[in-house]
């Protein structure tokens, strides 16, 4: 089963994490911008115990967090 979730509605990290934990994998980044909100969402996903597939925007968020 595949479902999509637009993060343009700025879900709280707690809800995003619960949705991720119910998934077998999460794809993050396509269409996301590199900004404070996105970095917060990516940080929340990194705390989840679920495989992640990250595109360039998500990877750029991680790079900014670690620099």
């Amino acid at each position: 089963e595949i479902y999509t979730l637009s993060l343009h509605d700025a879900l709280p990290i707690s809800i995003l994490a619960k949705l991720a934990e119910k998934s077998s994998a999460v794809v993050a980044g396509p269409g996301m911008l590199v900004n404070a909100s996105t970095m917060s969402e990516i940080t929340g996903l990194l705390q989840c115990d679920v495989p992640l597939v990250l595109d360039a925007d998500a990877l750029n968020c991680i790079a900014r967090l670690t620099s």
Side-chain angles (χ1 to χ4, degrees):
E1 179 176 347
I2 298 173
Y3 64 92
T4 62
L5 175 67
S6 172
L7 296 180
H8 295 290
D9 298 329
L11 291 174
I13 297 301
S14 60
I15 293 174
L16 182 61
K18 285 180 185 179
L19 292 171
E21 293 288 344
K22 293 180 181 180
S23 304
S24 56
V26 173
V27 176
M32 300 176 93
L33 301 174
V34 179
N35 58 37
S37 176
T38 303
M39 288 191 285
S40 176
E41 292 160 352
I42 295 299
T43 300
L45 287 173
L46 290 171
Q47 303 303 316
C48 297
D49 187 25
V50 62
L52 297 174
V53 178
L54 305 174
D55 85 339
D57 281 344
L59 294 173
N60 284 326
C61 286
I62 293 169
R64 289 187 184 194
L65 290 169
T66 60
S67 62

